[in-house]
Amino acid sequence: MRRFNLAVLAVVTLSAGLAAAPAQAYGSHSGQRPLGIENCTVTACHFDVPPGTYDVKVLLGGEAASSTSVTGETRRALLPETAVPAGERVARSFTVNVRTPEGEPTGPDGTPGLDLLLGGSAPALADIKVTPAARHTRRIFLVGDSTVCDQPGDPYSGWGQQLPQYLRQGLSVANYADSGESTVTYLADSRLWATVQPRIRPGDLVLIQLAHNDKTTDEATYRANLEALVAGVREKGGEPVLVTPVVRRWFNSDGTLNNNTALLVNGLGVDHPAVIRSVAATHDVPLIDLTAKTKALVESLGVEASKALYLYNEKRDNTHTSVHGATVYAGLVRDELAARHLVPEGLVRVG
């Protein structure tokens, strides 16, 4: 197990008389002692825990001014960069999903346990406690494609990978989006829907965004597949939320995105966002119209500024988002979850 080195030990010693509580004061779930800072180095923490949902409480700050962010597992953003003045301490908490595979469901297993990385311009961790989350902790499952998934490497990032940083303790993100999947393949692969559906509990949200890879799916099949996913969520007592796909950055000469490529109309003429909206209306399913929101944002930024949202500069890619773009798009999802009261107000991080 990795040991906490002297540099960080100094921060802990300085913080002990200010704000850090002793381990037993944090309490634990099911009688288990919290895991703490002895599992950390200056830049990373590793906790030998089985798959499950865990609450993480961090105490940030040190003798000098600091600014710390936390990512975990497969590049998930778990805590936004947080500035702390010199000599002060700030407590933050979040809930994290630990699973195998830890990233994309069809990808490698990853590292067992929970791995956290400290980032930011001047990271300083004074204390940390990890405990199993309460059984009633709500979860947001994500069913989607490469624009949503936990992308394994730079410069790629899905918006689902950035969503956890906008949520507080008591609500976790279980991202089962997978690169290259359509509604057809997601339902057919036993590692995907057949794995997700049994895990859904009453009260869980399931956000469904599948369209980018339904390039040869006819409208009747596409509609039926969406309906099957909705019915499967409700069968388990979960709440389905349909999400229209993020636009492709494909401009017309007049600076608009009013074309089939940008707006996800496939080669058979199937207007994916329109079908999703129709299914949501017919079956009384909450809708996040991410197509409309990302279209408005990309058009407002224009041809040049919108490149930063995607991987145009790096890969000439107008479909997949950069870390910046995924973070912005995750913020749009966060805003919709809050505005539609799909999650309790106190569980959404607005700043």
Side-chain angles (χ1 to χ4, degrees):
M1 183 173 289
R2 302 169 196 171
R3 300 299 298 173
F4 186 48
N5 73 12
L6 294 177
V8 178
L9 183 59
V11 174
V12 178
T13 303
L14 287 168
S15 68
L18 294 174
Q24 61 270 25
Y26 282 84
S28 61
H29 179 61
S30 302
Q32 298 180 28
R33 183 179 180 81
L35 297 174
I37 204 160
E38 68 276 6
N39 297 280
C40 300
T41 67
V42 174
T43 59
C45 302
H46 173 77
F47 301 93
D48 291 324
V49 297
T53 305
Y54 295 87
D55 290 332
V56 179
K57 297 181 180 180
V58 295
L59 193 66
L60 305 176
E63 184 176 6
S66 63
S67 188
T68 309
S69 62
V70 181
T71 58
E73 298 296 86
T74 303
R75 303 176 61 239
R76 297 182 221 158
L78 299 172
L79 188 71
E81 188 161 355
T82 303
V84 182
E88 296 186 16
R89 304 293 180 269
V90 170
R92 292 289 186 269
S93 59
F94 53 87
T95 301
V96 60
N97 170 256
V98 177
R99 61 183 183 271
T100 303
E102 69 177 30
E104 295 181 86
T106 63
D109 284 353
T111 305
L114 171 61
D115 287 284
L116 303 176
L117 293 177
L118 305 177
S121 58
L125 176 68
D127 201 8
I128 186 169
K129 291 292 178 288
V130 175
T131 56
R135 297 184 187 280
H136 62 271
T137 298
R138 296 188 67 189
R139 298 169 299 175
I140 298 177
F141 285 89
L142 302 181
V143 170
D145 53 36
S146 59
T147 65
V148 185
C149 75
D150 287 350
Q151 290 279 0
D154 284 326
Y156 295 88
S157 181
W159 63 254
Q161 200 164 20
Q162 301 300 323
L163 184 60
Q165 67 185 302
Y166 291 121
L167 307 175
R168 299 183 187 276
Q169 181 180 324
L171 184 62
S172 69
V173 174
N175 191 350
Y176 282 86
D178 195 71
S179 294
E181 306 300 341
S182 66
T183 58
V184 176
T185 60
Y186 203 94
L187 285 165
D189 193 324
S190 62
R191 296 168 295 179
L192 300 172
W193 184 237
T195 295
V196 174
Q197 197 211 13
R199 287 170 165 73
I200 300 170
R201 298 191 306 245
D204 289 338
L205 289 181
V206 183
L207 275 57
I208 302 165
Q209 187 216 279
L210 287 167
H212 278 273
N213 300 301
D214 280 280
K215 298 172 184 177
T216 60
T217 309
D218 64 81
E219 183 169 339
T221 301
Y222 185 64
R223 180 182 296 271
N225 289 344
L226 292 175
E227 291 172 337
L229 291 166
V230 167
V233 174
R234 287 175 168 168
E235 179 184 327
K236 293 295 183 178
E239 181 172 7
V241 179
L242 289 173
V243 183
T244 59
V246 301
V247 294
R248 295 190 179 100
R249 184 190 160 278
W250 199 267
F251 281 94
N252 297 325
S253 58
D254 63 358
T256 67
L257 300 178
N258 297 318
N259 59 76
N260 288 354
T261 300
L263 299 182
L264 283 296
V265 178
N266 74 10
L268 301 179
V270 180
D271 186 331
H272 293 107
V275 176
I276 295 169
R277 295 177 190 121
S278 174
V279 171
T282 299
H283 295 280
D284 193 25
V285 179
L287 175 74
I288 295 177
D289 198 339
L290 205 50
T291 303
K293 291 191 170 296
T294 54
K295 177 179 183 292
L297 176 60
V298 171
E299 288 181 339
S300 71
L301 290 173
V303 173
E304 289 303 316
S306 64
K307 290 177 180 178
L309 295 173
Y310 293 83
L311 294 175
Y312 180 85
N313 294 323
E314 300 86 349
K315 302 285 185 178
R316 294 297 187 269
D317 186 334
N318 291 306
T319 297
H320 297 97
T321 48
S322 62
V323 171
H324 167 67
T327 303
V328 171
Y329 287 178
L332 298 177
V333 175
R334 180 271 314 270
D335 293 344
E336 285 294 290
L337 291 172
R340 295 175 180 277
H341 305 290
L342 293 169
V343 298
E345 182 178 349
L347 297 184
V348 176
R349 198 183 304 276
V350 295

